[in-house]
Amino acid sequence: MKFNDFLQHLSTYEPGKDIELIAKEYGVKEVIKLASNENPFGTPPKALESLKQNANKAHLYPDDSMSELKNKLAQKYGVKNENIIIGAGSDQIIEFAVHAKLNPKNAFLQARVTFAMYEIYAKQCGAKCYKTTSITHNLDEFKKLYEEHRAEIKIIFLCLPNNPLGECLNRSEVLEFMRGVDKDCLLVIDGAYNEFASFKDSKKHLKPCELIKEFENVLYLGTFSKLYGLGGLRVGYGMAGAKIIKALYKLRAPFNVNNLALKAAAAALDDESFTQKTLENNFSQMELYKEFAKKYSIKSIESYTNFITYFFDEKNSTDLTEKLLKKGIIIRNLKSYGLNAMRITLGTPYENERFFTEFESILKEL
Ligand SMILES: *Cc1c(COP(=O)(O)O)cnc(C)c1O
């Protein structure tokens, strides 16, 4: 069978490996997954309670207005319901945005190493891709490329902080850059980890209400998959001016988020002790990862997220990833991004200790 041409140039997203599958395949008793930036403390207690309470409603279609969750988000972020769209993960909002703006005659702009889904969706629309040569976000390069291809570029993706490298631009420099972009170009600000960055450094804090107020062409993305511990339920959101939200709504299938997920997400927003514990653990454990890197002369970039990226010179990241896997530790090899590096999601103190012990023994054996 012949398929559409664009499929030939499309790579398949490589998700983190599954814990149960690895346990079986390698015969390891206790598998630790530090690969998908999930919350190491599990499901937030308030969300768990909500899931139990609503388990007997699986036969009902969800409330398609999603007003309970929208009201909570609107209140928390100081926007109106008309400024919000909820998706099956913020991934789905990226898909809507791309389908709303890109086509074979235009282009998008992104950092060389950033969230893989931008390019995957954009290529489905046949749009051309411009990338910076720097691996991390370099606004001078963004500016230069945008000015060179201004008429063509219809989406700019900024991942703040960036997955899979962890760096984060300051709010003030981002705003200044945004002011130089034409109103017909959609600025997608991916804040999947912005809660982590804001906790560490207030200069990184992006407020969707401020962005929407100043820019009619901005779309801010947030997710419940990382800090809020609900990756398995698939809930994310986009915030923008009402005109953008209306356009994205045309691409949405009804009931795109299930009712248990909607209710659990609303409950998770209230679980402040859970999110606080997550943030504090994350950045205290980050220090241990930095010390470990120093001890073994591994390079890393300052991370504003719940993961850290280790770069290697002589040692091979694919080899190291495979060796860790055999010991039951799943991390993310960044070979597919063209880097000799690995991304490690910060776990509980117990999980991190196991990583250090196993990785240390691997490095010493080399
Ligand atoms: C995880 C992630 C998302 C979206 O995750 P969903 O589970 O689809 O909400 C979006 N952007 C980045 C950079 C991410 O890391």
Side-chain angles (χ1 to χ4, degrees), residues 37 88-92 94 115 118 159 161 163 190 192-193 222-226 231 234-236:
N37 306 337
S90 61
D91 238 299
Q92 193 173 44
I94 298 170
F115 192 47
Y118 308 149
C159 194
N163 176 16
D190 190 340
Y193 305 91
T223 179
F224 285 91
S225 300
K226 312 288 159 58
R234 318 299 307 119
V235 198

Side-chain angles (χ1 to χ4, degrees), residues 104-272:
K105 289 190 185 127
N106 62 26
F108 65 102
L109 172 60
Q110 64 166 49
R112 189 172 113 211
V113 176
T114 189
F115 192 47
M117 292 313 298
Y118 308 149
E119 197 172 348
I120 293 180
Y121 287 127
K123 281 191 177 165
Q124 294 174 5
C125 298
K128 185 168 177 188
C129 177
Y130 290 107
K131 291 182 190 179
T132 59
T133 49
S134 315
I135 55 171
T136 55
H137 285 66
N138 175 329
L139 282 180
D140 290 333
E141 274 194 64
F142 267 87
K143 235 179 263 176
K144 197 162 165 280
L145 281 166
Y146 179 65
E147 273 155 24
E148 277 169 26
H149 308 281
R150 186 179 274 268
E152 228 183 318
I153 292 173
K154 292 300 169 192
I155 296 188
I156 300 174
F157 292 102
L158 295 173
C159 194
L160 306 169
N162 188 24
N163 176 16
L165 297 178
E167 92 280 4
C168 192
L169 297 169
N170 287 336
R171 174 180 61 242
S172 57
E173 53 184 343
V174 172
L175 293 179
E176 193 200 291
F177 168 75
M178 289 169 70
R179 289 181 190 123
V181 172
D182 293 339
K183 293 292 170 246
D184 190 46
C185 176
L186 184 66
L187 289 156
V188 176
I189 307 294
D190 190 340
Y193 305 91
N194 199 260
E195 297 96 341
F196 290 94
S198 307
F199 179 82
K200 180 174 155 90
D201 182 350
S202 61
K203 288 197 292 297
K204 315 290 183 189
H205 186 188
L206 293 166
K207 296 193 182 116
C209 62
E210 280 179 12
L211 294 176
I212 294 174
K213 207 167 163 194
E214 181 172 350
F215 302 95
E216 64 184 75
N217 55 337
V218 72
L219 172 64
Y220 179 88
L221 304 178
T223 179
F224 285 91
S225 300
K226 312 288 159 58
L227 176 65
Y228 290 100
L230 297 179
L233 292 186
R234 318 299 307 119
V235 198
Y237 55 88
M239 291 179 178
K243 271 192 192 160
I244 292 178
I245 298 296
K246 263 194 191 145
L248 301 184
Y249 248 85
K250 294 189 177 176
L251 295 160
R252 188 192 72 104
F255 314 118
N256 60 324
V257 183
N258 74 72
N259 53 0
L260 293 182
L262 287 169
K263 289 207 174 283
L269 272 185
D270 287 335
D271 211 331
E272 274 176 34

